[in-house]
C-alpha cells in the first residue's frame, strides 16, 4: 500500500522529514522568570532578559530542562549528559538580542524512535534524530495599524523543543500519523499541550521525491505549517511540484518555501543562496549543561504509562483488538474514561459504546471527553442494566440518548419511561401469536421455505412490544410457534 506519485516516466516515491517545534509546558521562560500563559495582553510577560536590556544575563530554568529530558525518555531516546547552548545570530525586529539561544552541535537529546499506526492496521518505526532546547522569538503584528508594525515580546524567550525526525516518512498519511502520535506522547508526558491552533506545536516539512531505490534527491523545506491537515496537504502539493520539475528535465533547488493553504500551493521564501549564515557560537553567558544520571533516573521513574505501553496493556488486559486499543489510548482522558467503564464489565462491549455511541454524542454536542454529558460511571451503570437483563441492547440506545439530553441516571430513565425489558414468556407468546395471526401471507411464505422472513417476524414482535421484548426469549417463542 505504498504512496507514489505517477509521472510520465513512472512512479515517484516521496521522502519526508519533519522538524517539529513544541512549546514546553512551564510556568516561566527558558532563561527568565517571565510568565508564559497564552493569550495575555501584549508585552505583559517580558523580563529585561527577554527584551535584551544591556547587561542582563540568562539563567536556565531547571523545569524546562526536566521537560526536555522527560520528552527524550518518552521517545526512548538517548539523553546527553553534556549539552551546550549556542547563539544563532540573525536580525529581526521581534528578536531584540539579535540572536536566538539554541543548541546546535550538542543537543540535550539524541536518537530515539516513534512508532506510528496506519489506517491499514500496520505500524512503522520512525527515527527521531535529536531533540534540542531553544528560545522562541517574539511576534510581529502587522494588522494593528495601517502603516506600522507592532511587536509583542510575550513569546520571546519561551522554551521550545525542536524535535527532528529522520527522513523515514513516505506519505502524507505517515506524516500525519507521526504528528498525531508525537502530540499524543507529548500530552501524556505533560511536556507540551500539543495545541496547534495556539501555535504550541508547528512543523517544518522537508520534502523530496525519488525513483524507487535511488539515493535521496534535493529537498525543499516548507516552513511553519500549523495543522496536521495542512502538513499533509503541503506534502502532497510540494511533492507534485517537484515531480513536474524533474519530469520536465529540470532540477529541484534546495530552498525554503511557504504553504499557502488558501491557494493550495507552496511558494518560495528564500533559496539556498539567500540562506542565513547564522554564525553559531557557544553562548558565553551560559555554561555547558551537565546532567546528573541520578536525576535522570528520578525523572524516568516518575514518567506516566505512555501510549504504546497502555495500548499493549489494553490488548492484553481487556482482550481488545489493536485498532480499538489505539483509538482509546490516543487521549489520556479517553483511556481513563474507558477503563472506568470497562472495569468489571464486558470490556469489548464497553469499547464499542465508548467509540461508537459516546464519540458520536460528543461530536453532536460539541463536547470533549472531559466535559462529556454522560460520565463514565453513568455509562457503566447503563451497561449493568443490560448485563442484568433489565433492558435490552436496543432500548439501551434510547436510554443513552436520554442520558445525553437530560443528564439523568440510566436507572431513573428506565423507570420513568417504563422501559424495563419484558421477560414474561406469557406476554411474549401472546405478542408472537398476534403477529402471526395478522400476517397470514408472510406466514405461508415462511412455511413454504422462505426462511429469511424470520427477521421480519422478530421485527414485528419487537415493534408490537414497543422494543422491550427480551430478544432471546422472542426468538425462542417465534421458533416454537413457527416450527
Ligand atoms: P538542516 O540542518 O539543514 O536543517 P538536517 O540534516 O538537520 O538539515 O535535516 C533537516 C530535516 O530534513 C530532517 O527532518 C531530515 O529528516 C530531513 N531530510 C534530510 N534529507 C532529506 C531529503 N532528501 N528529503 C526529505 N527530507 C530530508
Ligand atoms: Mg533544520
Amino acid at each position: 500500500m505504498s504512496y507514489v506519485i505517477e509521472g510520465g516516466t513512472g512512479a515517484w516515491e516521496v521522502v519526508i522529514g519533519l522538524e517539529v517545534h513544541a512549546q514546553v509546558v512551564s510556568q516561566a521562560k527558558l532563561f527568565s522568570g517571565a510568565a508564559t500563559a497564552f493569550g495575555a495582553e501584549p508585552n505583559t510577560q517580558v523580563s529585561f532578559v527577554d527584551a535584551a536590556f544591556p547587561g542582563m544575563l540568562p539563567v536556565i530554568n531547571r523545569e524546562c530542562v526536566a521537560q526536555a529530558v522527560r520528552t527524550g525518555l518518552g521517545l526512548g531516546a538517548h539523553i546527553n549528559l553534556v549539552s551546550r547552548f549556542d547563539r544563532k545570530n540573525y536580525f529581526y525586529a521581534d528578536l531584540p538580542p539579535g540572536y536566538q539561544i539554541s543548541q546546535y552541535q550538542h543537543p540535550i537529546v539524541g536518537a530515539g524512535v516513534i512508532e506510528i499506526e496506519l489506517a491499514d492496521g500496520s505500524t512503522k518505526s520512525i527515527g527521531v534524530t535529536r531533540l534540542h532546547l531553544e528560545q522562541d522569538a517574539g511576534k510581529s503584528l502587522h494588522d494593528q495599524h495601517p502603516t506600522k508594525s507592532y511587536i509583542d515580546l510575550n513569546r520571546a524567550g519561551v522554551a521550545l523543543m525542536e524535535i527532528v525526525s529522520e527522513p523515514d516518512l513516505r506519505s502524507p498519511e505517515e506524516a500525519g500519523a507521526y504528528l498525531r502520535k508525537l502530540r499524543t506522547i507529548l500530552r501524556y508526558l505533560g511536556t507540551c499541550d500539543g495545541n496547534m491552533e495556539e501555535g504550541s506545536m508547528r512543523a517544518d516539512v522537508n520534502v523530496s521525491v525519488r525513483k524507487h531505490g535511488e539515493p535521496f534527491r534535493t529537498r525543499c523545506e516548507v516552513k511553519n505549517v500549523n495543522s496536521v491537515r495542512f502538513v499533509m496537504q503541503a506534502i502532497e502539493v510540494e511533492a507534485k511540484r517537484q515531480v513536474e520539475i524533474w519530469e520536465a528535465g529540470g532540477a529541484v533547488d534546495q530552498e525554503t518555501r511557504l504553504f499557502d493553504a488558501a491557494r493550495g500551493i507552496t511558494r518560495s521564501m528564500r533559496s539556498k543562496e539567500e540562506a542565513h549564515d547564522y554564525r553559531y557560537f557557544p553562548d558565553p553567558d551560559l555554561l555547558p549543561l551537565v546532567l546528573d544520571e541520578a536525576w535522570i533516573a528520578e525523572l524516568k521513574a516518575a514518567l506516566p504509562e505512555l501510549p504504546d505501553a497502555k495500548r499493549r496493556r489494553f490488548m492484553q488486559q481487556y482482550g481488545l483488538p489493536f485498532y480499538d486499543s489505539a483509538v482509546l489510548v490516543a487521549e489520556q482522558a479517553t483511556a481513563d474514561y474507558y477503563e472506568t467503564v470497562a472495569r468489571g464489565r464486558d470490556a469489548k462491549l464497553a469499547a464499542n459504546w465508548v467509540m461508537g455511541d459516546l464519540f458520536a454524542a460528543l461530536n453532536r454536542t460539541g463536547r470533549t471527553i472531559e466535559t462529556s454529558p454522560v460520565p463514565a460511571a453513568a455509562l457503566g451503570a447503563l451497561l449493568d442494566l443490560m448485563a442484568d437483563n433489565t433492558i435490552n441492547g436496543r432500548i439501551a440506545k434510547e436510554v443513552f440518548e436520554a442520558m445525553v439530553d437530560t443528564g439523568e441516571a440510566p436507572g431513573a430513565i428506565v423507570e420513568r419511561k417504563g422501559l424495563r425489558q419484558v421477560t414474561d414468556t406469557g406476554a411474549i407468546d401472546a405478542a408472537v401469536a398476534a403477529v402471526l395471526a395478522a400476517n397470514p401471507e408472510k406466514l405461508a411464505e415462511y412455511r413454504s421455505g422462505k426462511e429469511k422472513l424470520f427477521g421480519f417476524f422478530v421485527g414485528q414482535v419487537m415493534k408490537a412490544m414497543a422494543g422491550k421484548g427480551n430478544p432471546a426469549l422472542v426468538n425462542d417463542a417465534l421458533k416454537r410457534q413457527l416450527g
Side-chain angles (χ1 to χ4, degrees):
M1 235 197 44
S2 64
Y3 176 86
V4 293
I5 293 180
E6 290 298 338
T9 64
W12 294 82
E13 184 182 46
V14 183
V15 177
I16 306 144
L18 296 178
E19 298 166 88
V20 172
H21 290 91
Q23 185 179 321
V24 172
V25 171
S26 71
Q27 298 291 316
K29 295 182 180 180
L30 182 53
F31 297 113
S32 86
T36 59
F38 178 80
E41 281 294 301
N43 296 309
T44 54
Q45 301 179 156
V46 188
S47 76
F48 291 128
V49 180
D50 309 321
F53 275 46
M56 296 296 114
L57 292 174
V59 177
I60 194 157
N61 179 341
R62 185 186 171 93
E63 180 56 17
C64 294
V65 176
Q67 292 289 57
V69 171
R70 287 185 190 107
T71 306
L73 293 169
L75 300 176
H78 180 76
I79 309 298
N80 292 321
L81 294 180
V82 180
S83 64
R84 202 174 76 189
F85 287 98
D86 303 275
R87 289 186 181 178
K88 179 178 180 179
N89 299 280
Y90 65 97
F91 174 79
Y92 204 78
D94 61 19
L95 189 74
Y99 59 83
Q100 174 194 28
I101 303 178
S102 181
Q103 296 191 302
Y104 186 47
Q105 278 157 344
H106 302 282
I108 185 167
V109 175
V113 68
I114 294 179
E115 193 175 296
I116 60 170
E117 289 128 25
L118 301 167
D120 66 0
S122 64
T123 61
K124 182 173 169 180
S125 293
I126 306 300
V128 170
T129 315
R130 58 184 270 165
L131 175 158
H132 68 253
L133 276 169
E134 63 184 31
Q135 297 174 298
D136 205 348
K139 195 171 156 196
S140 301
L141 308 169
H142 303 296
D143 55 1
Q144 307 285 309
H145 189 278
T147 58
K148 291 176 181 162
S149 285
Y150 291 163
I151 305 288
D152 175 8
L153 291 180
N154 280 355
R155 226 171 57 186
V158 165
L160 300 178
M161 299 179 283
E162 178 169 333
I163 302 161
V164 182
S165 87
E166 290 290 307
D168 289 345
L169 300 159
R170 291 290 176 273
S171 68
E173 189 206 348
E174 290 186 9
Y178 173 89
L179 281 174
R180 283 194 305 270
K181 187 61 177 285
L182 175 59
R183 186 171 57 188
T184 295
I185 294 170
L186 295 173
R187 283 180 172 162
Y188 266 67
L189 291 164
T191 58
C192 169
D193 66 24
N195 203 331
M196 294 187 94
E197 305 83 66
E198 292 179 1
S200 45
M201 208 175 128
R202 13 187 227 274
D204 297 343
V205 187
N206 296 272
V207 180
S208 66
V209 297
R210 65 171 176 182
K211 290 290 179 64
H212 188 70
E214 271 185 0
F216 291 152
R217 296 197 183 198
T218 308
R219 69 184 153 98
C220 286
E221 180 177 7
V222 186
K223 273 276 181 207
N224 255 327
V225 190
N226 63 2
S227 81
V228 174
R229 192 163 55 90
F230 287 165
V231 165
M232 295 171 70
Q233 284 173 2
I235 292 167
E236 200 172 325
V237 297
E238 175 57 18
K240 284 198 175 124
R241 187 189 70 88
Q242 293 182 14
V243 166
E244 277 167 25
I245 293 174
W246 292 119
E247 291 272 349
V252 169
D253 287 329
Q254 184 170 343
E255 59 181 358
T256 305
R257 301 181 66 84
L258 289 174
F259 178 58
D260 182 334
R263 292 164 66 197
I265 56 165
T266 67
R267 55 189 160 79
S268 186
M269 183 176 148
R270 57 173 182 259
S271 68
K272 196 181 177 185
E273 289 70 43
E274 303 161 71
H276 295 300
D277 178 356
Y278 292 116
R279 299 288 172 123
Y280 281 100
F281 67 88
D283 191 309
D285 292 338
L286 289 160
L287 290 168
L289 182 59
V290 180
L291 304 181
D292 176 20
E293 275 189 82
W295 185 59
I296 295 172
E298 233 172 80
L299 294 173
K300 186 169 186 172
L303 290 184
E305 180 183 37
L306 290 171
D308 287 337
K310 201 186 277 291
R311 191 200 66 221
R312 280 192 288 273
R313 179 169 65 77
F314 275 24
M315 294 172 71
Q316 209 208 357
Q317 180 176 341
Y318 299 112
L320 293 182
F322 180 96
Y323 175 81
D324 296 29
S325 312
V327 169
L328 291 170
V329 306
E331 303 267 0
Q332 177 103 52
T334 307
D336 292 346
Y337 186 106
Y338 169 72
E339 290 207 90
T340 303
V341 179
R343 207 163 290 131
R345 302 193 175 95
D346 179 337
K348 176 59 182 157
L349 186 68
N352 292 347
W353 272 87
V354 171
M355 298 192 319
D357 303 81
L358 179 73
F359 280 7
L362 294 179
N363 250 330
R364 192 156 36 74
T365 54
R367 303 286 195 94
T368 65
I369 197 100
E370 288 91 347
T371 60
S372 170
V374 177
L379 179 53
L382 179 66
L383 298 199
D384 290 342
L385 292 178
M386 278 186 276
D388 69 11
N389 280 321
T390 305
I391 55 173
N392 65 35
R394 217 164 85 184
I395 290 295
K397 306 267 175 194
E398 190 184 328
V399 174
F400 183 77
E401 291 313 312
M403 292 165 73
V404 173
D405 293 340
T406 65
E408 239 179 311
I413 294 169
V414 169
E415 295 315 324
R416 177 163 60 78
K417 295 185 149 192
L419 296 174
R420 272 178 180 280
Q421 173 164 251
V422 177
T423 49
D424 169 1
T425 48
I428 293 173
D429 274 332
V432 167
V435 164
L436 297 188
N439 293 280
E441 302 98 73
K442 288 277 190 319
L443 183 59
E445 282 178 56
Y446 179 86
R447 293 213 159 118
S448 64
K450 207 169 165 193
E451 287 189 5
K452 55 174 198 276
L453 279 174
F454 190 78
F456 164 80
F457 290 120
V458 172
Q460 291 300 306
V461 174
M462 276 302 199
K463 200 170 150 196
M465 301 185 69
K468 292 185 287 187
N470 174 302
L473 296 179
V474 168
N475 266 289
D476 289 348
L478 260 172
K479 276 189 193 134
R480 225 180 318 106
Q481 295 196 37
L482 283 167

